[in-house]
Amino acid sequence: MPGPGPDRARVVAAVLTALVVGSVIAVLVGGDLDEVQRFVASTGAWGPLVYVAVHVALTLVPVPKNLLAGIAGALFGVAGGIAASWTGAMLSAVVTFWLAGRLGRRAVAELTGPRVVRVQDLLRRRGLLAVVLARLTPVVPFTVINYGAGVSAVSWRDFVLGTAVGVVPGTVAYVVVGASVSQDATTIGLALAAGVLLLVATALLARRLRRH
């Protein structure tokens, strides 16, 4: 049975997710997004740096990476959002992979729950392709893959390269959607459609790769 530590981590993750979602909704409903964007732009390089640091911290708990990618799109636009979100995801993946190795299998299993078994199944072939496949599988949370890979036989090289490639489709899709939130209804609709199509294509690709 999970100990109090993993239980607390799940509670913290739920609370942080609720706070992040609530803050985003408050900004959107309150109509202050333009002001937030101007403030972020005025901070120069500090804005993306702070975002990346927060991204890494939250996805260790974990808060959903795709939610943070959408926020990056809203704050920095498509190009800046993709760069910031991808960088945050990569740093978070590396830190979590290292941390999992320190914690060990039992602690990781308690922290992530039964979902880590799914990750271990995806990584049974080991190697670069297995990591890419795990990243392209939409039903497996980003942080769970990080922890699961950290206690598997996957090498640092394959994990980093596979993550660098595998997180791109989801990152782009959610950043594009996030970047459209201050636009007109037509632009938002097109962005949502493009994001859904990209995610569907990603899922189909993952299914195809799993068969080989």
Side-chain angles (χ1 to χ4, degrees):
M1 295 293 293
D7 285 341
R8 277 199 299 269
R10 294 189 188 102
V11 171
V12 170
V15 170
L16 288 176
T17 300
L19 288 174
V20 172
V21 172
S23 300
V24 172
I25 293 175
V27 169
L28 295 177
V29 173
D32 296 324
L33 182 57
D34 289 341
E35 182 177 343
V36 172
Q37 290 171 330
R38 285 193 293 271
F39 170 76
V40 171
S42 70
T43 64
W46 283 107
L49 288 175
V50 170
Y51 167 85
V52 168
V54 172
H55 185 296
V56 172
L58 291 179
T59 48
L60 291 177
V61 181
V63 169
K65 177 189 77 68
N66 291 332
L67 171 63
L68 299 175
I71 293 174
L75 294 179
F76 308 114
V78 174
I82 290 173
S85 182
W86 184 87
T87 301
M90 290 302 301
L91 289 176
S92 174
V94 169
V95 171
T96 314
F97 186 91
W98 172 84
L99 182 61
R102 295 287 182 175
L103 292 174
R105 290 178 180 272
R106 182 174 180 179
V108 167
E110 290 181 346
L111 180 64
T112 59
R115 294 174 298 182
V116 74
V117 176
R118 173 70 168 164
V119 175
Q120 292 171 339
D121 181 58
L122 287 171
L123 297 176
R124 68 188 184 279
R125 290 175 293 179
R126 308 176 186 179
L128 177 62
L129 183 59
V131 178
V132 174
L133 174 60
R135 293 302 186 190
L136 294 178
T137 303
V139 297
V140 184
F142 173 78
T143 304
V144 175
I145 295 174
N146 295 340
Y147 279 114
V151 292
S152 72
V154 172
S155 68
W156 271 98
R157 172 187 171 278
D158 289 340
F159 176 75
V160 171
L161 291 178
T163 298
V165 174
V167 300
V168 170
T171 297
V172 172
Y174 282 92
V175 166
V176 167
V177 172
S180 72
V181 296
S182 62
Q183 306 300 316
D184 57 85
T186 300
T187 302
I188 294 175
L190 290 173
L192 286 172
V196 169
L197 286 174
L198 182 55
L199 291 176
V200 169
T202 299
L204 292 175
L205 176 59
R207 184 177 180 182
R208 184 180 181 85
L209 288 173
R210 195 179 297 119
R211 290 176 177 176
H212 295 284

